[in-house]
């Protein structure tokens, strides 16, 4: 049946075979084949009896994939051939009609688009969960002062709620980015055939509608060689993972004895094989560590696509493992971050003591000078000098004479902590009223998120449960 | 004026100084300072006389930056300090008031957002130019047959127009991606101060409106530590550069003596220092070669952000050189691609001869069998066998007997070239009618593009003309 | 037995658990434990009876790992804990003594060093195989002319042997790079304990000698936080994979109908699901496609190590999957390249015809002018003009009048092909004598390679056969 | 003089021109040309008078490049053409003979090899300086206890000297890696011509010897398409930069108020534009931030080389900017790290107090149990339980009853700090004797380094001083 005189070399088979990873596309491939078979019948390309036989076989395949009983064969090169072979075993000769008016080239592009779309939704939902956990922790620690840092130096005090909400807004952007990824999968590749379109009077619009695409790809050549949506997913995932790495790194820092600001719960910590006293924030460290992996997958796919001539080339098979790994990584990290954040406990005394460091009121002293008409740049210089002298003399700022023209009273009044925090009245600032306002906006975002995203087809995602079953 | 007892070490000064590259932010920094000064006066934080003095000095700075006469000083650490210093030289002591209620942290984040927005627009417009060049070439070669390739093997014939339009749709996605980058810069960081907000009753909304932001950043901590929009630009740029690398690679291929499908014009070719006969498609090679550079910049910024604690850290200074290089690379590559594509000439005879290779009609023979009721998979096997025998016997397909149940007439009729092309009638396929339809869609896209993007503020972009002047 | 009040969260367990991939370290961990137990006994830290019990249990573990019967448990966090648990099940309470004077931190660093060393050798050997295949093909096609290309334009003719040997020298450097990787694993981490050294009078030198290390790591802190040798492996692998991508890309090119210079054997080609005539060089495409994946793994590990404080951090767990994937990729690609190269057939007629293109003798005409005293730069200009006129007039070079002061005879004589090839008499050039000389050097290199590398301990590598068994 | 009818398009000229960066190769190109001219004369290819004229002109060029007076022209495409043009201006028509028997392809490969070699030496020397600074700081703080960390949790006490020396050994590996880079440039490309060798009876060995190469490249095709040594430099630089990022990150951490272990000197710190009290460790942050940039350059060059057909392609021009940027980055970072480390001051009280945390003696308690015959794994469990109870009861370990079978005396004796440190007697451990031993080894390494590396040709490096002059 092949034009070849020799069977594939076993090493080549190993190199070429994608079934070891593309089984994850199984449920999407079935979904696609169902829609394709229906359309072929509706257009009169196959008859209704053929369609019914194909659909019955595909239903069986779907069940087998879902419960892990699908009989893979050694000779199956990829999931598409495995399913077509199985359909033919189940339905007989008519199984050979399923591949009418399609090619693996448009088929795999469509499977990938379906997969990316489903997992972009999963990511968006998992992000919303984590945003919720952050909002809850922010609400529970609304007015807990802590030092804000720049350059890891105490800079100005903020509320813990304000600090935690900073991550919420990063994640809100991640959610929007994954929503854009969904939109990037909106044009159906199927119907492009191998590269040039197909000889049959197909109706791509019907297939698109059934599979949830907004339209059809305008150019068959582009359709089979396009993996932009995978790059888009990886870019969104890399940025999200980078955000999580910042959160993880900060929790590692806060968990140190020196900071002592926060602790992960025992359920999110590890011990040591040798040091019995250790409670290590491994989950936070792994959040930190996973981001470069996702970015590495992104740059790898850019590399694969680099300089690739049109149309389909086998190189495109390299889009899959990186994507699947990024999906697994991001979904696991988001779930872990959510659980870890919910389990965090904070040490209010340590935070408050650190926030009471008088040095971090220096800007406020300068700003007070400004209200007396001193240009800010001069005020900055005056206070810098004050700081230098206080350090030399080993005194606190409140033990120093106020710089002119400040009066002693206003100077001392200023150096009361609450004032520093509550003076940040600008929109988005750390004064309590502003943080409350912000939290309300955050809750509104969350409400919106929960309703705008339809749930991914859980059945499809369930069907991907292959690995544990296959193992 | 500083709290420090020692001056900076010269090596540290060299490491720390960003002026050598951030001068490119100059015009944006001036724009920002104008809006800030106006708002300070409107809110009564400075008086109108101060404001006017500041605006006059800023106007002078803008002119100096634009014509290259701005007097940079060795001690200027960055563009922000250089401009503030100069404003103070020009306006006197009041210059020190410009930095009231702001910090370099929110200032540089805002400058970067303005810069990214302006250049996202430039990229989108340059993309539209290139799309136009492709559409024109497609229109000029609407019905020129050529072989379509998969795996760099001749697969099925297509029209050259169809092939060229594949790049247009890639670029249309790039344009959309840059439009999303613009939207990613929509929230004003300014007003976040160092990290916690500011002590003054500022009006961030007014500043946002004046600078063209849709709103204000909700969280001051996030505002100063966020560089997502730079990552977004780099991701869009990397994908766009990767598309151009595919275009470049294909033109290199087509320019080879072996393919001989196309030639770049002499204005886009290089000779050899040693081989007098050479005409090398250097521009196409460089388009191919530039993509990894942009992807490398993207992965580098992901690395910089990785595990970075909140809020501002000096590490964020590393966002600039990569961005500027990516901007220069993408803008130059888009302009080069447009010029090169406009200058391409195609060899219709070579293309047609290659497209007439009978082997690439094999799928059509299989499809013809399908219309006789043979399941596609079986038909595929029958034709594969036919191909194998024809190769063994050294015959063309049309010299072989037609496979059963095909009649000789329909078989021979099919093996006339035009038929293969025109049979691809599916939406997005290569039949002439479908390509015409596609071209009309492409033209509609282009029309839409030309009106939806407002022109970037050319004055700002002009002000960036520093490098040639400074060199 | 733990200091924790709660069991690990299931999501955390999934994130934290490394057993799903670090089972590959099993045989190395056993080897290490054997050496450690012997040393503990020799130093009197445990008694000989304990040692014998431990060794017996370890032997059992080794056998179980090798034949796939090792009983992994759900609670096993990593391979180290799994083996220690199993040793304790087999040997009883004495199993708890195995972890005396060591930590997972120095243990895993040592396992990784052993693993990297073994696979650096495997890679070096596989490279030598591929070099051999290239040398054989070069020898078989010693005097087959073909065009040499620059910018993918025909430049000067070379012998196919010369072209193929270019890859051999790239690979020789790869082999040297992997040999350097081996040397980079030469210092034993074990004995560093958790980070500070251990309380017991161990003898690290003895362990080093037994495990094949040249010495011991000088600093315990560095020992547990060092993964340079993994970076070294990945860097060597990325360069090697990049070389293979060039080879693969060139075979794809040569396999096109337009070049038609070479064909992969049927055992190394794929068909199409839709186009029965296709013979696709999938193996060559995959060689091309795999390089960015390895480079992505390298940049990812750089990212993981970036900014990581001393000493051991959980982030280091992220060194493994990237390494294992790179090892699998490079070993598979080298084997595939060897098989594919051995199966390549070349089309001497197509090669010779392309090499006979007169234009590629233009440099020789210029050089001939040089021998008449014309400065090369002038000669280059004269011949460029000759070429331009010949193209305008549609003539071959041999149909043009010779440029002054060349005589017609020497001009025509020069334009006989063999002359062009044989004139490249400089060392390393393409004249036959020089290529023969080069091939002899290549063979000498290969002879040297075969003897300098001791075989890796096959038992260890065999023990890694987990995946097929576990699946 | 060209075969082209049209001049280059200005956009193409901008894309194609490499002079804006490859002027840095100037001194190497002159060196190469000198050696080439001498060889041409020695072989009788040009006469001695020509040679002398060429050498005189080259001397002038070298002086002009060094003092910045070299007259670049707009039409100069690259440094090679600029120099050859200038030589011809200075020497007259004989200048056209300089390019006899060479091509830009072998010329630029040779320039790059010379450049990489010189800068590999510079890096190695700068590394030795930094190692020296670390050794001096270690010696000055030989017996200062501090906590060693794993997972950023206090784990076991170490001496500050021991911790600092960990970086020394990382850097020793970096130095070795740069030495390997030097060796990777050992084979002379010059003489390979465009790709096939040259028509003249050159003597490549003489040129190699004059330019400091150990031998000649064996294959002319490989010679012009090989950039492995650039990849090697970038890989070494990326690992070195990653090491520096760890050092930088740790100094940032130690400079925080919470750790308070160390301070950078004022000469290596920055203030804030808004917060007068701030002393920011910007240099340390920038060391942390620069590593991903270098890794990004590495992955970019891998991308450029990916799938590139033989031999020379214009894509290879993309090797330069990344390399030059990596060279500048690594050389600047090494110098900065050295200065910053020399200026570090440590707070002995804070370090000692943190090291006296009794919890970090837990492993020693377990080890003490081991000496009483309790298997380590059991001892670990016993002490973990002790720790848990002590935390619950809010007691220090020394306030708890000793676990059985320990006596109160030995238990209390153990919990005296010095004991914990001094018990780490294993080779490479933290006991004072072991650290002294280690420091001696480090000094020996440094001594060896200082003599084995010959100084790079300072004249060549000086000639690269273009940028400041050109700006």
């Amino acid at each position: 049946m092949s034009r070849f005189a020799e069977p594939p070399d076993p090493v080549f088979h190993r190199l070429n075979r994608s079934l070891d990873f593309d089984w994850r596309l199984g449920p999407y491939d079935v979904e696609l084949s169902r829609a394709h078979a229906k359309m072929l019948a509706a257009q009169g390309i196959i008859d209704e009896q053929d369609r019914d036989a194909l659909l019955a076989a595909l239903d069986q395949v779907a069940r087998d994939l879902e419960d892990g009983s699908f009989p893979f064969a050694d000779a199956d090169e990829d999931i598409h051939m495995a399913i077509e072979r199985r359909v033919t075993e189940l339905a007989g000769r008519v199984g050979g009609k399923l591949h009418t008016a399609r090619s693996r080239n448009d088929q795999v592009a469509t499977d990938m688009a379906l997969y990316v779309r489903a997992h972009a939704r999963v990511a968006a939902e998992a992000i919303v969960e984590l945003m919720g956990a952050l909002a809850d922790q922010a609400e529970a620690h609304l007015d807990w002062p802590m030092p804000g840092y720049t350059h890891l130096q105490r800079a100005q005090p903020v509320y813990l709620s304000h600090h935690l909400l900073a991550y919420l807004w990063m994640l809100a952007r991640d959610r929007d980015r994954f929503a854009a990824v969904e939109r990037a999968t909106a044009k159906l590749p199927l119907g492009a055939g191998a590269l040039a379109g197909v000889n049959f009077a197909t109706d791509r619009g019907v297939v698109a509608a059934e599979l949830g695409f907004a339209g059809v790809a305008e150019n068959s050549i582009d359709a089979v060689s396009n993996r932009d949506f995978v790059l888009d997913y990886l870019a969104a995932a890399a940025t999200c993972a980078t955000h999580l790495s910042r959160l993880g790194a900060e929790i590692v820092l806060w968990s140190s004895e020196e900071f002592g600001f926060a602790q992960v719960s025992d359920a999110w910590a590890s011990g040591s094989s040798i040091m019995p006293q250790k409670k290590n924030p491994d989950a936070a460290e792994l959040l930190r560590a996973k981001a470069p992996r996702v970015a590495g997958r992104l740059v790898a796919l850019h590399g694969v696509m680099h300089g690739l001539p049109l149309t389909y080339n086998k190189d495109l098979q390299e889009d899959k493992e990186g994507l699947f790994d990024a999906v697994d990584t991001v979904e696991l990290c988001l779930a872990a971050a959510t659980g870890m954040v919910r389990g965090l406990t904070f040490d209010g005394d340590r935070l408050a003591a650190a926030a009471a460091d008088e040095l971090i009121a220096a800007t406020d002293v300068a700003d007070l000078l400004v209200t007396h008409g001193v240009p800010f740049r001069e005020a900055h210089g005056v206070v810098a000098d004050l700081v230098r002298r206080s350090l030399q003399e080993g005194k606190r700022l409140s033990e120093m004479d106020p710089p002119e023209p400040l009066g002693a009273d206003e100077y001392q009044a200023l150096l009361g902590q609450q004032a520093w925090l509550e003076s940040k009245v600008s929109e988005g600032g750390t004064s309590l009223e502003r943080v409350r306002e912000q939290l309300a906006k955050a809750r509104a975002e969350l409400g919106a998120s929960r309703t705008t995203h339809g749930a991914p087809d859980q059945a499809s995602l369930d069907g991907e449960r292959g690995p544990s079953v296959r193992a």
Side-chain angles (χ1 to χ4, degrees), chain A:
Chain A
M1 216 169 97
S2 138
R3 58 163 283 196
F4 297 142
E6 287 174 279
D9 187 282
V11 172
F12 174 53
H13 183 62
R14 203 142 60 86
L15 179 68
N16 202 40
R17 175 183 166 113
S18 55
L19 185 59
D20 294 336
F21 43 88
D22 70 12
W23 57 262
R24 293 172 70 139
L25 297 178
Y28 305 96
D29 205 65
V30 170
E31 205 177 331
L32 176 161
S33 289
R34 277 188 187 123
H36 186 63
K38 286 187 212 166
M39 182 275 291
L40 289 179
Q43 297 295 105
I45 300 168
I46 62 173
D47 62 30
E48 299 199 350
Q49 210 173 329
D50 288 348
R51 179 198 61 196
D52 294 343
L54 290 172
L55 292 178
L58 287 165
D59 287 347
Q60 182 63 44
V61 165
R63 282 192 300 273
D64 290 354
L65 285 170
E66 193 169 345
D67 67 18
S69 65
F70 184 91
F72 290 104
D74 269 0
D76 291 339
E77 193 182 312
D78 56 36
I79 186 67
H80 320 294
M81 292 315 237
I83 290 176
E84 191 184 326
R85 170 191 55 74
R86 183 67 183 144
V87 163
T88 303
E89 287 169 10
L90 291 167
R93 197 183 165 212
V94 66
K97 298 196 175 179
L98 183 58
H99 209 56
T100 310
R102 77 177 190 192
S103 156
R104 264 187 302 186
N105 297 354
D106 56 347
Q107 191 178 352
V108 70
T110 305
D111 285 357
M112 289 293 281
L114 289 166
Y115 179 92
V116 164
R117 187 193 307 157
H119 284 280
R121 281 184 200 169
V122 171
E125 284 164 19
I127 286 169
V128 171
E129 289 304 310
L130 176 52
M131 289 168 72
L134 287 161
D136 291 348
Q137 284 280 22
E139 192 151 359
H141 304 87
L142 197 66
D143 60 355
W144 289 36
M146 67 170 284
Y149 294 79
T150 63
H151 306 260
L152 208 61
Q153 299 289 310
R154 289 178 192 162
Q156 294 177 336
V158 295
Y159 290 112
L160 175 54
S161 52
H162 190 50
H163 191 107
L164 292 172
L165 287 172
Y167 287 104
L168 182 143
W169 298 108
M170 291 183 212
L171 289 159
R173 290 191 296 272
D174 289 328
R175 181 205 50 187
D176 294 349
R177 227 172 261 114
F178 278 111
V181 172
E182 257 198 82
R183 290 192 298 274
T185 65
K187 294 190 177 166
L188 177 74
L190 201 71
L195 77 146
V198 295
N199 286 349
F200 300 88
T202 54
D203 185 339
R204 297 179 68 201
V206 159
V207 177
E210 173 137 5
L211 293 174
F213 288 84
V216 305
E218 293 90 348
N219 180 303
S220 60
I221 288 175
D222 178 44
V224 298
S225 62
N226 172 32
R227 291 297 185 274
D228 280 13
F229 51 84
V230 185
L231 289 171
D232 290 339
Y233 182 96
L234 292 173
T239 300
C240 181
T242 295
H243 290 156
L244 297 181
S245 84
R246 300 184 76 173
L247 176 63
E250 208 149 56
I251 291 171
V252 170
L253 200 62
W254 290 358
S255 303
S256 68
E257 283 84 353
E258 288 71 16
F259 276 80
F261 289 174
Q263 274 207 35
V264 296
S265 65
D266 283 3
W268 290 89
S270 285
S272 156
S273 78
I274 177 169
M275 295 169 289
Q277 86 281 13
K278 292 298 293 298
K279 178 179 173 181
N280 296 324
D282 288 50
E285 293 174 279
L286 287 168
L287 285 190
R288 179 175 64 187
K290 294 281 186 187
R293 167 187 192 134
V294 182
R297 295 301 203 168
L298 170 60
V299 76
L301 185 57
H302 272 296
V304 170
M305 304 301 293
H306 162 243
L308 206 57
L310 298 178
T311 64
Y312 181 85
N313 297 277
K314 188 70 171 191
D315 309 61
L316 293 180
Q317 180 167 306
E318 278 292 306
D319 63 347
K320 287 180 194 57
E321 286 165 284
L323 172 65
F324 297 156
D325 184 47
V327 162
D328 290 346
T329 301
V330 165
E331 293 180 3
L332 182 57
C333 285
L334 283 166
T338 303
M340 188 182 61
V341 164
R342 290 211 176 277
L344 280 180
T345 49
F346 296 93
D347 186 328
D349 294 340
R350 301 278 307 246
L351 286 162
D357 182 341
E358 269 186 3
L359 270 184
I360 67 184
T363 313
D364 296 75
V365 179
D367 282 343
L368 190 60
L369 284 163
V370 167
T371 64
H372 285 265
V374 185
F376 178 78
R377 188 55 62 209
E378 291 175 27
H380 182 279
V382 167
V383 181
D385 185 61
L386 178 75
V387 167
R388 186 164 44 74
R389 285 186 291 112
S390 78
L391 290 173
Q392 278 171 353
E393 302 172 21
K395 290 183 180 169
R396 296 162 56 94
L397 284 188
S398 54
E399 294 167 333
M400 303 291 289
D401 290 332
E404 297 216 331
L406 296 190
D409 288 356
E410 58 183 342
Y411 179 67
Q412 293 300 339
L414 178 81
L415 293 178
Q417 181 198 352
Q418 208 61 21
W420 318 334
L421 276 152
E422 286 304 317
S423 65
K424 300 295 176 296
V425 294
S426 57
E427 204 178 342
T430 204
S431 67
L432 208 49
E433 192 188 328
R434 289 301 195 182
V435 177
R436 279 212 183 88
E437 196 177 286
Q438 188 192 145
L439 187 59
K441 279 187 202 170
R443 292 286 185 201
E445 281 278 328
L446 283 170
S449 296
R450 290 223 163 80
T451 55
T452 53
H453 286 283
D457 182 347
Q458 195 55 43
S460 296
L461 296 175
D462 283 351
E464 293 174 28
R465 278 183 322 203
S468 56
V469 177
R470 288 172 54 83

